[in-house]
Amino acid sequence: MYLISEIDALKNEDFEVIGLEYTSESKDITKLEFTQKAKALICGNEAFGISQELIRECDYCVHLPMYGKNTSMNVVMATSIALWEMIH
């Protein structure tokens, strides 16, 4: 798969590859302190998220905490919030 070879290339350049996806093992992004290490954020599509194959390639996944009945948000909004959390 094309994306896996790209992820491997990033890891070879010492990037930390983070998936933006809610999983049973994902970490609450608001509770993390990100290091200065270069990062690559993998985001999925609106309907299906990130494939299990790509999730396995990530160093770890993060999720945005959601309250109420809704458990997801627009991928552009989620990406914007995640990037903000990662740099501040």
Side-chain angles (χ1 to χ4, degrees):
M1 178 180 220
Y2 175 74
L3 286 177
I4 291 177
S5 64
E6 294 298 320
I7 290 173
D8 288 340
L10 288 169
K11 286 183 174 184
N12 288 337
E13 295 294 323
D14 206 29
F15 275 75
E16 185 175 54
V17 179
I18 303 167
L20 180 58
E21 185 72 45
Y22 182 80
T23 72
S24 61
E25 297 178 11
S26 62
K27 302 172 184 184
D28 179 338
I29 197 168
T30 64
K31 299 196 182 328
L32 295 176
E33 288 195 28
F34 292 97
T35 65
Q36 294 299 316
K37 186 174 185 177
K39 293 166 186 43
L41 184 65
I42 307 297
C43 304
N45 72 27
E46 295 286 340
F48 303 109
I50 302 173
S51 71
Q52 289 300 310
E53 186 176 20
L54 288 178
I55 287 173
R56 285 190 294 274
E57 296 297 317
C58 293
D59 292 309
Y60 59 93
C61 286
V62 297
H63 66 267
L64 303 173
M66 302 277 299
Y67 303 99
K69 293 182 181 182
N70 195 3
T71 58
S72 67
M73 68 173 63
N74 173 281
V75 72
V76 172
M77 183 61 72
T79 301
S80 300
I81 294 168
L83 291 172
W84 175 261
E85 288 289 337
M86 292 169 70
I87 63 171
H88 285 91

